[in-house]
């Protein structure tokens, strides 16, 4: 059963991190999920249920109100200290993926990020052409902010799972207050980009969809260029929220990503849950990839 917490790590009492922590507490390098602008911690419930069933420890978060990337990174570092987590794997969706990269960059001198899974994410906020409005989000009423976010949701005919996923996200969006939304949109659009040389050595999986999503083709190409050695997890369909409407595929890609850490101190899974068969599969796939590299 996921434990639900609210934690304050800053001097400011209004900055509350909400999180679900599920799976074996003995794991010291869990997978942490960072949501998109409209997301709350529970948008990853399909991942929490499946991955903890297989023996992983996962934490899904909801951010406090932070207005700039540095402030977010500082708060997140304090949160990890509070949870006594030295290194973690991060799964970031959209804005969550951008913040995950910024955090890896921010901690590059004493690394806290063991690996990254970046889902429908980006490396430069200027792609949204909103950097000029970023400073005025705090003034806008909640209904206007919600309209801005909804403008990026898919329209047109959708399959039932995708329609349900969007309904769920709209529902989560409704639960967010003006300052929560305004601060996330500010983080999403404030002029900033990732400095790849600082996070070059971190294993990355780039997960994206081939159907309609808020990300432009240019933004995707930019990510591939930035992380030439990243593994790629492409989903034919899934829209903006594949973790909701294509959870089985997403969960499989997460497992494949985390396999490389099995049997090390950075494993996110309880060792007793890793079957000999899985380790064998891992050996074969590693062997195959080394042979490819040598050719």
């Amino acid at each position: 059963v996921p434990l639900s917490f609210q934690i304050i790590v800053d001097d400011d009492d209004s900055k509350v991190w909400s999180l679900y922590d599920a799976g074996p507490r003995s794991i010291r390098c869990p997978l942490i999920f960072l949501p998109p602008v409209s997301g709350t911690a529970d948008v990853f419930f399909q991942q929490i249920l499946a991955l903890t069933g297989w023996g992983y420890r996962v934490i899904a978060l909801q951010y406090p109100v932070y207005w700039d990337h540095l402030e977010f990174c500082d708060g997140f570092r304090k949160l990890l200290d509070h949870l006594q987590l030295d290194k973690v794997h991060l799964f970031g969706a959209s804005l969550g993926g951008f913040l995950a990269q910024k955090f890896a960059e921010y901690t590059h001198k004493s690394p806290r990020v063991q690996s990254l899974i970046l889902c429908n994410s980006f490396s430069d906020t200027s792609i949204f052409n909103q950097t000029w409005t970023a400073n005025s989000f705090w003034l806008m009423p909640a209904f206007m902010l919600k309209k801005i976010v909804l403008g990026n949701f898919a329209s047109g005919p959708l399959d039932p799972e995708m329609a349900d996923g969007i309904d769920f996200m709209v529902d989560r969006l409704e639960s967010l207050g003006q300052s929560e939304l305004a601060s996330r949109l500010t983080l999403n659009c404030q002029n900033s980009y990732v400095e790849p040389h600082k996070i070059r050595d971190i294993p990355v999986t780039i997960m994206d969809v081939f159907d309609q999503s808020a990300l432009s083709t240019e933004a995707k190409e930019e990510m591939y260029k930035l992380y030439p050695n990243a593994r790629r997890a492409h989903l034919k369909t899934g829209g903006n929220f594949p973790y909701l409407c294509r959870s089985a595929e997403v969960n499989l890609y997460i497992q494949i990503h985390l396999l490389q850490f099995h049997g090390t101190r950075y494993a996110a899974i309880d060792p007793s849950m890793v079957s000999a068969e899985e380790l064998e599969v891992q050996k074969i796939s590693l062997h195959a990839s080394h042979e490819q590299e040598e050719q």
Side-chain angles (χ1 to χ4, degrees):
V1 178
L3 291 176
S4 173
F5 295 101
Q6 291 205 316
I7 298 173
I8 295 171
V9 293
D10 293 282
D11 302 332
D12 178 350
D13 287 349
S14 68
K15 294 198 183 306
V16 183
W17 291 83
S18 305
L19 51 119
Y20 295 102
D21 187 346
R25 283 297 172 285
S26 55
I27 300 300
R28 306 309 307 146
C29 191
L31 175 62
I32 297 187
F33 288 90
L34 303 175
V37 168
S38 50
T40 49
D42 44 11
V43 303
F44 298 113
F45 72 94
Q46 309 257 28
Q47 284 65 50
I48 296 172
L49 291 173
L51 292 163
T52 52
W54 294 317
Y56 290 92
R57 180 179 179 188
V58 295
I59 295 173
L61 305 172
Q62 197 161 320
Y63 330 116
V65 173
Y66 287 121
W67 296 98
D68 70 65
H69 302 119
L70 201 60
E71 192 191 17
F72 166 84
C73 289
D74 190 47
F76 189 39
R77 184 181 51 77
K78 288 178 187 158
L79 178 74
L80 295 184
D81 292 347
H82 177 89
L83 295 170
Q84 298 178 319
L85 298 172
D86 178 35
K87 296 275 288 268
V88 292
H89 305 281
L90 297 178
F91 178 111
S94 190
L95 169 63
F98 182 71
L99 294 174
Q101 293 169 84
K102 291 304 281 182
F103 183 70
E105 177 189 294
Y106 171 81
T107 56
H108 79 281
K109 286 200 172 100
S110 55
R112 304 297 294 268
V113 179
Q114 184 60 30
S115 76
L116 292 166
I117 304 174
L118 305 170
C119 175
N120 280 347
S121 197
F122 52 91
S123 56
D124 187 338
T125 57
S126 65
I127 59 162
F128 297 109
N129 299 325
Q130 290 266 5
T131 45
W132 54 277
T133 48
N135 299 330
S136 56
F137 287 131
W138 66 279
L139 287 166
M140 295 182 188
F143 79 90
M144 273 177 80
L145 297 169
K146 285 175 184 167
K147 239 170 115 166
I148 293 171
V149 177
L150 289 169
N152 288 317
F153 285 15
S155 51
L158 296 167
D159 68 46
E161 286 93 358
M162 284 173 73
D164 285 348
I166 288 177
D167 285 347
F168 186 79
M169 291 304 278
V170 170
D171 187 55
R172 299 330 300 140
L173 180 62
E174 284 303 323
S175 73
L176 295 172
Q178 192 275 347
S179 57
E180 288 174 297
L181 264 177
S183 63
R184 291 176 192 195
L185 279 165
T186 303
L187 292 177
N188 202 72
C189 300
Q190 203 169 53
N191 206 359
S192 181
Y193 56 88
V194 174
E195 297 176 58
H197 59 281
K198 291 186 176 167
I199 50 180
R200 181 171 291 142
D201 303 327
I202 296 177
V204 174
T205 291
I206 295 174
M207 188 182 293
D208 51 23
V209 298
F210 284 148
D211 62 353
Q212 188 188 18
S213 79
L215 267 200
S216 65
T217 313
E218 295 81 57
K220 289 183 193 178
E221 295 300 327
E222 194 52 43
M223 288 291 281
Y224 304 149
K225 265 204 278 244
L226 209 60
Y227 301 108
N229 304 323
R231 297 172 177 212
R232 295 197 193 171
H234 297 306
L235 291 95
K236 268 217 234 1
T237 57
N240 285 318
F241 316 117
Y243 37 90
L244 280 169
C245 60
R246 298 289 182 269
S247 61
E249 283 178 79
V250 168
N251 296 344
L252 179 66
Y253 280 130
I254 292 172
Q255 279 181 286
I256 291 169
H257 172 88
L258 291 172
L259 250 180
Q260 58 192 306
F261 305 103
H262 284 13
T264 74
R265 53 185 284 238
Y266 303 116
I269 193 172
D270 177 354
S272 69
M273 300 284 282
V274 180
S275 63
E277 181 186 60
E278 259 190 278
L279 285 169
E280 197 54 41
V281 170
Q282 188 192 3
K283 268 196 287 219
I284 294 163
S285 63
L286 280 174
H287 186 68
S289 66
H290 284 320
E291 279 183 344
Q292 272 176 336
E293 279 163 16
E294 281 160 16
Q295 278 167 14

